[in-house]
Amino acid sequence: MIRWIRQQLGFDPPHQSDTRTVYIANKFPQHGHYIPQRFADNRIISSKYTIWNFIPKNLFEQFRRIANFYFLIIFLVQLMIDTPTSPITSGLPLFFVITVTAIKQGYEDWLRHKADNEVNGAPVFVVRSGSLVQTRSKNIRVGDIVRVAKDETFPADLVLLSSDRAEGTCHITTASLDGETNLKTHYAVPETAVSQSVSRLESLQAVVECQQPEADLYRYHSQSDHRNPPHTVRSENLLLRGARLKNTKEIFGVAVYTGMESKMALNYKCKSQKRSAVEKSMNTFLIIYLGILLFEAILSTILKYAWQAENKWDEPFYNQKTDQERNSSQILKFISDFLAFLVLYNFIIPISLYVTVELQKFLGSFFIGWDLDLYHEESDQKAQVNTSDLNEELGQVEYVFTDKTGTLTENEMQFRECSINGIKYQEINGKLTYVFVCVYTFQNGEEELFLKAVSLCHTVQISYDQTDGPGDPFSHANGFSPQMEYYASSPDEKALVEATKSCLSARRYKLLHVLEFDANRRRMSKGLRTLVVACRHFSADEYQEVDRRLHEARTALQQREERLVEVFNFIEKDLELLGATGVEDKLQDKVQETIESLRLAGIKVWVLTGDKHETAVSVSLSCGHFHRTMNILELVQQKSDRECAEQLRRLARRYNTLLVQGPPVQRVVTQDHVIQHGLVVDGASLSLALREHEKLFMEVCKNCSAVLCCRMAPLQKAKVSHLTPCPITLAIGDGANDVSMIQEAHVGIGIMGKEGRQAVRNSDYAIARFKFLAKLLLVHGHFYYIRIATLVQYFFYKNVCFITPQFLYQFFCLFSQQTLYDSVYLTLYNICFTSLPILVYSLFEQLVHPHVLQSKPALYRDISKNSLLSFKTFLYWTFLGFCHAFVFFFGSYILMGEDTTLMGNGQVSVSPASLPSSLLFSYSRSCVSVAGLLLC
């Protein structure tokens, strides 16, 4: 805190220059004038409050709410002026609401503190004083040499100094950062790669000069000064916090970015406060009721002065005014009376509405986690609620934006078929099959060369769970075993190598006869991820030249990437086509049924994927996102704004033409498959469309029942989910590259898949499989919305019923600001007398059986567009409240009849002190009793 204050005042600027100098092992210069730079510690902070700022910060946030701020003003008015009710009537409910809300928010923040402490307190090993010392993650400093073992995550951004591998390489996965499950190879700085012992690392005298922290995960440039000349350090030498070490026993790295300055922390986007449509409606209704309150207070004040201006209304004997009161300013007196009426009627605003709603959401959210239908037995995962503020929003979704790989599919690549020399082969039971010959031995070498290329040209690493003692590390090379694990730079490579290793496990390649077909005319199966395999033959001299150029490019200190690209372009030309492979990423269970249910519920589904056009369309067709009879519109391969705009206009005209020229039945039945349209757009065309033609693009999209966006970057996914701010949107994905999309949508759902937990941690809800989305929306969303809509309308209704008799009573007491109700009733009516019944109702009410809601998705449309909280419905409840208030008041008045304790001149036959306890108390008790019977 002190450091932050000093930075704000300019005494302690966080960075003095555009670069930072990191002394390895914190060996600072011992001669000359040296001022060490100050860096952030290695703590990760995701919590919102601290012990010191919780009370002021939480109070500030709570009083930003209209109802809380209003009751605070009323409470202060009651303290300042003489009002007909005690300040306790407003202060006690306000204190109760603020306290309950603070406890709930404090508990949620305590959970965030607990998660932070687990990360910050994780044990790590650092090299200090010539030995390995165990410490906590939060104690790592910039310049520390850190040891990381296999399967551990990197506690900070490290420059790789050395590994247990002789070549100084290591393999990592970055699923928690960018959602990629593939294996990446990183290299140690050449000058330090041989320093594989603690003693040698301790003796290092080196400096890393790098740029200040930035969010780009793939950009890093620095220099390490180790016995001149300096070596250029690039992104392949940097290990990012959150990544995991794989297939490498241990590595040593120097920390260059720590804590909130690490690239992972800089890429973390703070979740914006999402507000549901119900909360927005509540705020609108509160403003309307505030207007009603002001109208009643102003009218009562005017009528008081109008009636008391007549001489016949003399001051009663028991309320004679002093000379000072008679001679006081009329303006101040008018304002004082107005404030008194405002306090008298202020209970028309339901102070306990917010706390009851929050309590209902918090308790109701447990039903999602308890639902066994949302439990996935194979992975032992149940549904998870990260925020309970959006429960009712699940019943208002109009658009679903979904990722494809890992969300609609299993993200488990399996080799299915290949094409060699124009002939198609399929994989069945671990062997390649094709037509014509039962047992076939390769004669021309084409098939053998193809399989060798697939088997050898890859980045797959094999890891063995070795036991202590001698053993052959290649004992499982000819087959698969539980001890062998494959790591690859892409899931496609892993599937191909597993398949070819299986097919090549026999000494003689065999192809089995299954069926006959014209292979030259038959294309690869649709929906497969395809990869073309080609080769180029080099002579010995050519190979030596290529090897020399590659070595020079890889060891270049300047423009390394450009020189490598140049060499690769030289190698990859004049290639000879060998064939193509087809890998399947199969659909998850019941994806097609889920998408169909969402469509019948009136929800439009958009698929956003990074896959190529053909694969994405095939998967959309196979999962039911696109129907075979659907008219497919395309916006792909657009090169300029002008070309894109013209294509959009053609699509709009085509849609209108088809709709006008279609048969009458098609024009009426708009949900029929024949009239439906699907749109396919790629990332490049989408960028052009959103640049200057967003309105035209959205017009085309709104006319389509399904939209498929392919070749999408993560930021484009977020931009698409932000295109429709008015309809309620839901984004669902499983990878870290889906986080921005999840956070931009009104409701974000993470899939507990194989791409890390980043999407789950940043989502509002998390489920194990896409199929659970149907029940989450159609059942839980339906229940949540109806329950909370009824709760909100009821709260406003019951307060109208309660306080309107107070207003009517003023006509019978000459607007003397006499209260109708006892202070106990005013204090406890909202927080005790009427909150529990509606809370129980809003937790357990089921108007329709869950099985009916799932079997009839069209029922979801009945509650769409916030229909139960529309202005028309709100007016109905308000009108009903006023009608019942008249019944309560005049019903009680008639039941009591003429009270004989009052004489004609206003005097009573009993002691004046008995007036409030005899008449007003009994009358208010009658009103409250009647109201309570009817409301409950």
Side-chain angles (χ1 to χ4, degrees), residues 300-323:
S300 298
T301 307
I302 293 175
L303 290 177
K304 175 181 180 179
Y305 282 90
W307 286 14
Q308 291 186 358
E310 300 181 17
N311 295 329
K312 65 177 183 178
W313 300 111
D314 295 331
E315 295 176 357
F317 71 94
Y318 52 83
N319 194 23
Q320 295 288 332
K321 292 182 175 61
T322 63
D323 293 337

Side-chain angles (χ1 to χ4, degrees), residues 233 272 341 404 820:
V233 182
S272 58
F341 279 117
K404 183 183 73 67
L820 175 63

Side-chain angles (χ1 to χ4, degrees), residues 590-784:
K590 296 184 179 180
V591 168
Q592 186 170 358
E593 293 86 342
T594 302
I595 292 179
E596 181 66 15
S597 296
L598 297 178
R599 186 189 68 82
L600 294 175
I603 301 174
K604 293 186 177 181
V605 179
W606 290 27
V607 175
L608 313 181
T609 178
D611 276 354
K612 61 183 181 180
H613 172 243
E614 293 81 4
T615 304
V617 172
S618 298
V619 173
S620 286
L621 288 170
S622 62
C623 71
H625 179 237
F626 283 169
H627 292 282
R628 299 289 177 181
T629 57
M630 185 178 289
N631 178 43
I632 305 298
L633 310 176
E634 291 189 349
L635 181 68
V636 295
Q637 298 180 350
Q638 304 301 305
K639 304 299 183 182
S640 63
D641 288 337
R642 181 179 178 182
E643 181 181 347
C644 181
E646 182 59 32
Q647 177 66 9
L648 285 171
R649 295 188 186 96
R650 283 196 294 266
L651 294 178
R653 288 195 299 268
R654 182 180 179 187
Y655 170 81
N656 293 328
T657 301
L658 290 174
L659 186 62
V660 171
Q661 293 182 355
V665 175
Q666 294 182 14
R667 278 181 277 159
V668 176
V669 187
T670 58
Q671 294 300 323
D672 190 82
H673 289 174
V674 178
I675 198 99
Q676 286 187 338
H677 301 265
L679 175 66
V680 181
V681 57
D682 59 13
S685 303
L686 179 67
S687 299
L688 295 174
L690 298 182
R691 186 180 302 172
E692 295 182 2
H693 316 291
E694 181 176 329
K695 185 176 180 180
L696 182 58
F697 174 73
M698 289 307 301
E699 180 183 349
V700 174
C701 291
K702 289 178 181 179
N703 291 329
C704 297
S705 301
V707 177
L708 170 64
C709 300
C710 55
R711 290 299 188 191
M712 295 281 289
L715 290 180
Q716 284 183 313
K717 291 184 177 183
K719 194 168 185 178
V720 168
S721 63
H722 193 64
L723 284 177
T724 54
C726 293
I728 306 301
T729 60
L730 180 147
I732 180 171
D734 69 320
N737 54 340
D738 300 317
V739 169
S740 297
M741 173 181 71
I742 288 173
Q743 292 179 344
E744 284 293 336
H746 293 91
V747 182
I749 296 184
I751 295 289
M752 303 170 185
K754 301 176 178 61
E755 296 192 2
R757 307 286 295 183
Q758 198 78 347
V760 172
R761 285 195 296 265
N762 289 275
S763 63
D764 303 306
Y765 303 89
I767 54 179
R769 288 293 183 269
F770 182 81
K771 65 180 180 180
F772 297 147
L773 183 63
K775 185 171 186 182
L776 188 65
L777 298 184
L778 303 183
V779 178
H780 288 284
H782 194 281
F783 285 156
Y784 283 138

Side-chain angles (χ1 to χ4, degrees), residues 88-107:
I88 298 178
T89 60
S90 296
L92 186 60
L94 179 63
F95 176 78
F96 174 79
V97 170
I98 295 298
T99 303
V100 172
T101 304
I103 292 174
K104 173 181 176 290
Q105 295 179 353
Y107 171 73

Side-chain angles (χ1 to χ4, degrees), residues 26 146 165 230 275 277 382 393 402 455 486 530 715 896:
N26 288 311
V146 183
R165 292 172 174 266
R275 297 172 57 200
K382 64 179 181 179
E393 208 80 335
T402 175
S455 301
Y486 286 82
T530 57
L715 290 180
M896 290 184 65

Side-chain angles (χ1 to χ4, degrees), residues 375-390:
Y375 171 74
H376 189 244
E377 187 174 359
E378 295 178 9
S379 60
D380 191 26
Q381 299 280 2
K382 64 179 181 179
Q384 176 180 325
V385 179
N386 296 330
T387 175
S388 60
D389 295 336
L390 303 172

Side-chain angles (χ1 to χ4, degrees), residues 812 886-899 923 926-927 930:
F812 292 83
F886 275 83
V887 173
F888 300 159
F889 181 84
F890 291 105
S892 300
Y893 183 84
I894 295 173
L895 288 175
M896 290 184 65
E898 184 178 353
D899 194 278
Y923 188 57
S926 301
C927 287
V930 174

